[in-house]
Amino acid sequence: AIGGLALLALAGCGGGPAPQTFDLAALQGAARAGALRGQLVVTEPVATQALDSDRIVVRPTPESVAYLTGAQWSDRLPRLVQTRLVQSLENAHLLKSVGRPVDRIAADYTLDAELRRFEIDTTRDAAVVEITVKLIASTSGRIVAADVFVAETAGSASSGAAAAQSLDAALGEAMGKIVRWIGARI
């Protein structure tokens, strides 16, 4: 996922330089042999107000949250994570179809998620991503399976590029676990 990290240049709207804008990468997949199973809808992850923005979160102490100056994501983080998770599942070739609720596919399952952590923890020099997921059967509304996925990589808030690269790597690791988990359950 690190190689897919992109820096987007945006024109400033006065009042100083525009912040550097970073994207996250989807996992690349290989063609899968055998029959594809099920259809899945991925909802936009729920997140706290601190994470429900385009700002890159830095945690200087366990009790405080800050934003990295001069850097931002290319979209609101929950929508960006939803998009990359949909793309990663598509790239894995495990399912007949995967999409968002607006795609109106007749899904067999819905994947609900919550972003619990997506930050640079400066006390440990770590990029931390924590995502909870619930796989829900569309016909009954019952939770088929649920789990928490945590990934950590070395991380630094020394620059937007360093923070974005390490968070992208941690997300890639978490998404890899989620994709394998879904593949074992559908």
Side-chain angles (χ1 to χ4, degrees):
I2 295 173
L5 186 67
L7 168 63
L8 305 175
L10 297 178
C13 297
Q20 287 185 309
T21 302
F22 298 92
D23 202 356
L24 297 166
L27 298 175
Q28 298 306 308
R32 177 184 148 84
L36 300 178
R37 304 171 305 230
Q39 298 188 117
L40 177 71
V41 165
V42 179
T43 62
E44 184 176 300
V46 174
T48 63
Q49 185 176 0
L51 293 174
D52 192 7
S53 76
D54 64 353
R55 310 283 306 275
I56 297 175
V57 174
V58 176
R59 187 169 294 277
T61 69
E63 301 82 26
S64 64
V65 174
Y67 294 108
L68 192 59
T69 304
Q72 65 185 11
W73 297 118
S74 60
D75 201 345
R76 281 181 39 258
L77 184 61
R79 187 167 36 221
L80 188 56
V81 169
Q82 177 193 29
T83 298
R84 298 306 176 240
L85 190 51
V86 167
Q87 291 170 338
S88 295
L89 286 161
E90 288 171 335
N91 293 345
H93 303 286
L94 296 171
L95 304 162
K96 288 181 185 175
S97 179
V98 62
R100 296 170 186 77
V102 298
D103 295 334
R104 297 181 177 218
I105 63 173
D108 301 302
Y109 301 94
T110 299
L111 184 71
D112 286 347
E114 178 183 351
L115 293 175
R116 289 188 176 174
R117 295 181 72 186
F118 204 99
E119 64 198 33
I120 299 294
D121 182 340
T122 60
T123 63
R124 299 184 302 118
D125 291 325
V128 182
V129 171
E130 182 177 344
I131 303 172
T132 65
V133 295
K134 292 180 180 101
L135 189 61
I136 302 166
S138 296
T139 54
S140 68
R142 298 182 71 85
I143 296 173
V144 174
D147 212 333
V148 179
F149 297 92
V150 180
E152 292 189 26
T153 61
S156 168
S158 62
S159 71
Q165 184 175 25
S166 48
L167 284 165
D168 187 53
L171 177 62
E173 184 180 321
M175 285 193 307
K177 293 175 184 178
I178 293 168
V179 167
R180 288 186 297 278
W181 180 83
I182 290 169
R185 282 155 184 78
I186 294 183

